[in-house]
Amino acid sequence: MINTLTSKKIFLETYGCQMNEYDSELVRSILKKENYEFVTDEFKADIVMLNTCAIREHAHRKVYGRVHNIRHARGEDSPVMIGILGCMATNLRQDLLEDRSLKIDFIAGPDSYKRLPQLIREASDEGQKSYDITLSEFETYSDIYPSAEDRVNPSTSSRVNAWIAVMRGCNNFCTFCVVPYTRGRERSRSPENVVEEVRRLAAEGYKQVTLLGQNVNSYRYDDYDFAYLMDEVSKVEGIERIRFSSPHPKDFPDRFLDLMAVNPKICKQVHLPLQAGNNRILDMMNRTYTKEEFLALVDHVRAKVPNVSLSTDIIVGFPTETEDEFKDTLDVVSKVKFDAVFNFKYSERQGTIATKKYPDDIPEAVKTERIMRLIEIQKEITYKNNQAHIGKVETVLLEPYPDSKNKEIMPGRTDGGLLVLLPQGPYKGGDLVNVRITAATPHALKGQPLPNMSPSFA
Ligand code: 5AD
Ligand code: SF4
């Protein structure tokens, strides 16, 4: 018998990183077992849940704005319930207790999703605001395997890539970062458990898995390390490509790089977050490496894994960063020639060490000017890197849908993660196609399939 409470409709909106996307998949899996239904039209929902992100700028304001916007759109008398999940939960709980006029019904932190059915019941049956923001040292949701349906993102329904969290939390305490406070301590899932999830994904037709963790390469379960895990995952039949995100530069042992070099399923792509190129700033950030050590690591990774594609994250305008110190960051960018750089302006986060120790003293205009210079330099580098692929043959994994602007074009990714646009042909999302690269723009490559175009299935 379906009880009326548990057949309610939920609209779930996800902000932030891939880990949050995966967490939303867990949430769908947990609540669907309780008979809740997920809908894509927020106006049809009895419950709207926002899975929030706290990592950068204005997260607070954005969530309040969105809650206000939902209440306004649905009408002040609407019984729609609003729940806040994810990294903003900890901060919001305080506001919720202090400000009863905030119209949020329940809050669940990243380790409390199994309690969601109960929190929703408390909020709806008893009309009380309910919350659980406890951070766990053990919760890895290892017994929940989101199905293909739980993984459905309304805009892409083809089964090509799936995310899998293999570890959660972070023990690094980079001084700018809120993650250790919002997501708690590091903990890993057992290799058997991860492999089981990957097997299920392969059986459902997925071709690529992306292993996720706030600090994914510090994965450890008993004596098993990240290299062991990647090797085990790569043995799963049907999975053609494995990626991982996001690693820390401190955990790249040769054992892992050697495996990466020889294992054809492990994509030759490494995201190496630099954050800053100046040693004083790196020390203030608690990044545990110097500029010289970072550059040496890049050389080492390239020597071990030829043709590896490198990307990075950079923060500009960390407290007290001088013009000369910023130039050290530009210097690293010019030397390394990453394929992609993700730039962020430093933003103070509540509770972090930097917020307590260092006033946010770099004016917004200076941060903007620095980020623009960085973008300009990297744009040239990306373009040149892309041009260097012209004439080469790449194996491209096709994405689920034709390019949304141009239906004649099929998008896909190289092993290194670069976007390639192909003309339409007798292939579909999920196929691996051998392609000759014919042209390059600053944002993508263009290619023509070779006559014997598919190495595996088309
Ligand atoms: N301000 C700006 N950028 C930040 N990041 C993390 N915390 C902050 C912050 N307080 C960036 C880092 C990290 C990426 C995920 O977000 O570059 O690698
Ligand atoms: Fe944040 Fe540093 Fe941990 Fe990454 S490694 S999640 S930047 S504390």
Side-chain angles (χ1 to χ4, degrees):
M1 191 179 71
I2 296 177
N3 107 26
T4 49
L5 255 186
T6 55
S7 54
K8 285 189 167 167
K9 295 185 172 64
I10 299 179
F11 176 77
L12 171 59
E13 191 164 278
T14 309
Y15 297 82
C17 63
Q18 298 156 350
M19 183 66 102
N20 257 16
E21 288 287 348
Y22 181 75
D23 281 358
S24 286
E25 294 167 0
L26 291 172
V27 166
R28 279 195 280 269
S29 185
I30 291 166
L31 288 172
K32 276 163 70 176
K33 284 196 189 91
E34 301 276 324
N35 265 327
Y36 286 93
E37 188 189 336
F38 282 79
V39 293
T40 50
D41 179 351
E42 67 176 274
F43 290 94
K44 295 211 172 109
D46 305 300
I47 305 171
V48 175
M49 302 197 302
L50 308 179
N51 189 0
T52 61
C53 166
I55 198 135
R56 290 178 297 268
E57 327 161 90
H58 313 317
H60 230 78
R61 243 182 290 156
K62 238 195 237 162
V63 172
Y64 286 176
R66 186 67 179 109
V67 170
H68 180 75
N69 161 283
I70 296 162
R71 289 276 175 229
H72 182 74
R74 298 291 294 263
E76 291 299 320
D77 301 332
S78 162
V80 65
M81 285 172 53
I82 300 184
I84 303 293
L85 322 183
C87 293
M88 287 296 293
T90 324
N91 308 25
L92 275 174
R93 200 272 320 231
Q94 228 158 11
D95 292 6
L96 186 72
L97 290 183
E98 283 162 15
D99 177 0
R100 307 292 295 186
S101 69
L102 246 189
K103 295 193 172 152
I104 296 169
D105 297 282
F106 61 93
I107 296 183
D111 290 340
S112 307
Y113 297 146
K114 285 184 188 159
R115 286 207 58 224
L116 266 171
Q118 191 186 336
L119 294 171
I120 296 174
R121 265 194 298 273
E122 280 170 16
S124 71
D125 289 6
E126 293 149 37
Q128 69 183 49
K129 292 181 186 285
S130 58
Y131 63 88
D132 186 349
I133 55 158
T134 322
L135 290 176
S136 158
E137 285 182 30
F138 308 102
E139 183 61 87
T140 57
Y141 297 103
S142 56
D143 50 336
I144 297 177
Y145 300 99
S147 67
E149 268 181 35
D150 300 332
R151 292 173 189 271
V152 164
N153 173 334
S155 59
T156 56
S157 63
S158 176
R159 299 167 187 183
V160 177
N161 173 72
W163 320 111
I164 304 185
V166 301
M167 59 83 69
R168 302 173 76 90
C170 181
N171 293 349
N172 287 338
F173 290 94
C174 300
T175 58
F176 52 79
C177 185
V178 80
V179 165
Y181 310 95
T182 59
R183 286 189 168 267
R185 296 291 67 75
E186 282 178 16
R187 63 222 106 113
S188 298
R189 284 169 76 174
S190 74
E192 299 82 50
N193 190 255
V194 173
V195 168
E196 173 59 24
E197 185 160 341
V198 176
R199 269 202 212 105
R200 291 179 188 215
L201 288 165
E204 287 185 300
Y206 286 92
K207 298 289 181 264
Q208 174 177 290
V209 289
T210 305
L211 307 193
L212 299 178
Q214 263 77 36
N215 215 340
V216 71
N217 53 341
S218 67
Y219 172 92
R220 181 154 283 272
Y221 189 90
D222 294 339
D223 288 336
Y224 303 118
D225 63 2
F226 191 56
Y228 176 85
L229 181 73
M230 289 289 267
D231 199 28
E232 289 302 297
V233 168
S234 75
K235 291 175 191 160
V236 176
E237 233 171 273
I239 295 298
E240 303 289 331
R241 282 185 170 178
I242 309 163
R243 300 188 190 276
F244 58 98
S245 175
S246 243
H248 189 291
K250 74 181 168 60
D251 286 316
F252 276 101
D254 281 352
R255 190 176 130 70
F256 175 70
L257 295 173
D258 289 338
L259 174 75
M260 204 174 173
V262 298
N263 189 319
K265 288 192 183 178
I266 302 178
C267 291
K268 312 298 176 255
Q269 177 190 21
V270 178
H271 184 67
L272 268 187
L274 167 68
Q275 311 298 3
N278 175 266
N279 290 344
R280 189 183 72 89
I281 299 292
L282 283 168
D283 187 44
M284 284 171 79
M285 287 178 162
N286 190 30
R287 286 296 290 179
T288 71
Y289 50 82
T290 61
K291 173 186 179 186
E292 294 71 27
E293 284 164 347
F294 186 92
L295 288 170
L297 175 65
V298 166
D299 287 346
H300 187 63
V301 172
R302 283 185 165 149
K304 286 273 181 194
V305 188
N307 298 321
V308 64
S309 172
L310 295 179
S311 57
T312 198
D313 288 344
I314 288 174
I315 298 177
V316 303
F318 188 79
T320 74
E321 183 188 63
T322 65
E323 168 64 21
D324 277 353
E325 288 170 335
F326 172 63
K327 282 193 180 137
D328 280 333
T329 299
L330 294 183
D331 186 46
V332 177
V333 167
S334 305
K335 286 195 165 109
V336 175
K337 300 189 168 53
F338 296 102
D339 284 312
V341 175
F342 302 93
N343 305 294
F344 310 105
K345 294 181 197 171
Y346 172 71
S347 124
E348 233 175 21
R349 303 286 81 200
Q350 200 179 318
T352 60
I353 300 163
T355 298
K356 290 182 190 138
K357 279 173 73 174
Y358 315 120
D360 181 11
D361 61 354
I362 306 296
E364 183 62 23
V366 174
K367 288 180 188 169
T368 305
E369 192 258 346
R370 285 183 189 166
I371 209 166
M372 298 307 285
R373 279 155 70 196
L374 198 47
I375 290 168
E376 211 42 51
I377 289 178
Q378 183 56 37
K379 213 163 91 186
E380 276 297 301
I381 295 171
T382 305
Y383 190 24
K384 279 200 184 125
N385 284 0
N386 283 354
Q387 283 176 317
H389 288 268
I390 295 174
K392 288 186 184 164
V393 173
E394 300 272 0
T395 302
V396 171
L397 178 61
L398 293 179
E399 292 190 351
Y401 282 112
D403 181 283
S404 58
K405 282 183 230 114
N406 183 348
K407 299 277 176 249
E408 299 302 301
I409 299 288
M410 281 294 284
R413 297 265 166 194
T414 65
D415 182 283
L418 300 179
L419 178 65
V420 182
L421 303 175
L422 300 187
Q424 288 286 9
Y427 32 70
K428 59 189 182 310
D431 286 348
L432 280 170
V433 178
N434 283 331
V435 166
R436 169 119 23 226
I437 304 301
T438 52
T441 72
H443 310 289
L445 308 175
K446 287 183 184 160
Q448 286 293 335
L450 295 183
N452 60 338
M453 51 186 201
S454 174
S456 56
F457 26 80

